[in-house]
Amino acid sequence: MILTVTLNTALDITYRVPALRPHASHRVTEVIERPGGKGVNVARVLAALDHEVTVTGFTGGATGRVVQEHLTGVRGVVDALVPVTGATRRTIAVVDDRTGDTTQLNEPGPTITPAEWTAFQEAYEDLVPSMSAVALCGSLPPGVPVGAYAGLIRTARAAGVPVLLDTSGEPLRRGVAARPDIVKPNTDELAELTGSHEPVRATQDTRRRGAHAVVASLGPDGLLAVTPEGRWRATPPTPLHGNPTGAGDSTVAGLLSGLVERLPWPTRLSHAVALSAATVASPVAGEFDRGVYEELVGRVSVTGEVSAA
């Protein structure tokens, strides 16, 4: 069982319009609702890969109830969300059918009280020992301490459970210092953390700051991984156009799947890149085009070297 933590869960709403124009009214041609937030998207992809997943984080209000109703229909996903008095946020993605571009609007999330944060920590401590891996994903809602992920990492490490961190800003900086097993930043997050815009240098610096392994997302150029076992670049065979929302979450799902299956790093990276590309080809975050994934996974280019023993 894999545990995904989404402290800022969401109801993801996707609108499709013929063409998005500023200062104009639009006729929406399609509306899609899905449970969301980064860790929830990761969980849905993992479940589609036949992993059993537990989802935890916060849920509240009418929107939170809709999120939980949707989760009950996802085979392989267990709902362990912790209730709060505030309302779960919504995220709005507007897809322009003419250009394929997506405009994203993200609400901030509910304010979490100290008592609610304590209740979550207790629930998390009960869940972690029975898990094969933990993913800590996304932004922190108002009221949650900025060092929250660092504490959750230490709890997982104390239980001997590997943990992946996917966040940004000060939560990333403090989380890296707690020595997670894998960190999955993008190039902007790396630059903010390290001050370097050169991916190899920034990735190596992030390892020196405490991360066991760093897998940097290079957008359409794939992934760069710096690990104790070696350093690799994984690149998709062809660029894909579509909705990039959730592509990073599919990367995390691929890395987690490879971790629990004990796959070698090059294989993990090829699966993660193929999943990410297959998500771009899907119109909804947290889903991937299985045909695209199966067609690409054997064609991802992985180059690099194994570290000397």
Side-chain angles (χ1 to χ4, degrees), residues 85-247:
T85 55
T88 295
R89 67 188 178 127
R90 295 162 298 180
T91 68
I92 310 296
V94 183
V95 180
D96 184 326
D97 285 334
R98 178 175 55 85
T99 64
D101 291 338
T102 300
T103 299
Q104 192 80 18
L105 303 172
N106 297 330
E107 296 179 357
T111 298
I112 305 303
T113 68
E116 290 166 343
W117 174 235
T118 297
F120 171 80
Q121 290 175 288
E122 292 171 351
Y124 175 81
E125 290 171 2
D126 289 341
L127 287 166
V128 165
S130 61
M131 298 296 159
S132 55
V134 173
L136 307 173
C137 303
S139 62
L140 302 179
V144 172
V146 71
Y149 283 139
L152 299 181
I153 290 166
R154 286 190 286 268
T155 297
R157 287 180 56 83
V161 179
V163 57
L164 181 152
L165 177 64
D166 182 16
T167 189
S168 61
E170 189 62 21
L172 173 61
R173 186 183 307 278
R174 298 198 187 192
V176 165
R179 301 186 177 277
D181 295 88
I182 304 174
V183 176
K184 203 286 299 173
N186 60 34
T187 52
D188 290 340
E189 291 160 353
L190 274 177
E192 183 181 6
L193 176 67
T194 66
S196 174
H197 291 272
E198 202 290 306
V200 173
R201 181 181 303 167
T203 303
Q204 292 172 331
D205 187 9
T206 303
R207 277 206 70 213
R208 285 192 291 269
R209 290 167 183 260
H212 190 68
V214 182
V215 181
S217 173
L218 308 178
D221 294 326
L223 299 174
L224 167 66
V226 178
T227 81
E229 290 78 21
R231 187 175 80 187
W232 293 274
R233 281 285 300 269
T235 309
T238 55
L240 287 178
H241 302 285
N243 181 4
T245 306

Side-chain angles (χ1 to χ4, degrees), residues 45-100:
V45 174
L46 284 168
L49 295 172
D50 296 323
H51 290 283
E52 293 185 344
V53 192
T54 294
V55 171
T56 192
F58 296 112
T59 182
T63 305
R65 289 192 292 274
V66 173
V67 167
Q68 292 184 285
E69 288 168 4
H70 282 305
L71 282 176
T72 60
V74 182
R75 184 177 61 86
V77 173
V78 176
D79 175 3
L81 293 169
V82 176
V84 296
T85 55
T88 295
R89 67 188 178 127
R90 295 162 298 180
T91 68
I92 310 296
V94 183
V95 180
D96 184 326
D97 285 334
R98 178 175 55 85
T99 64

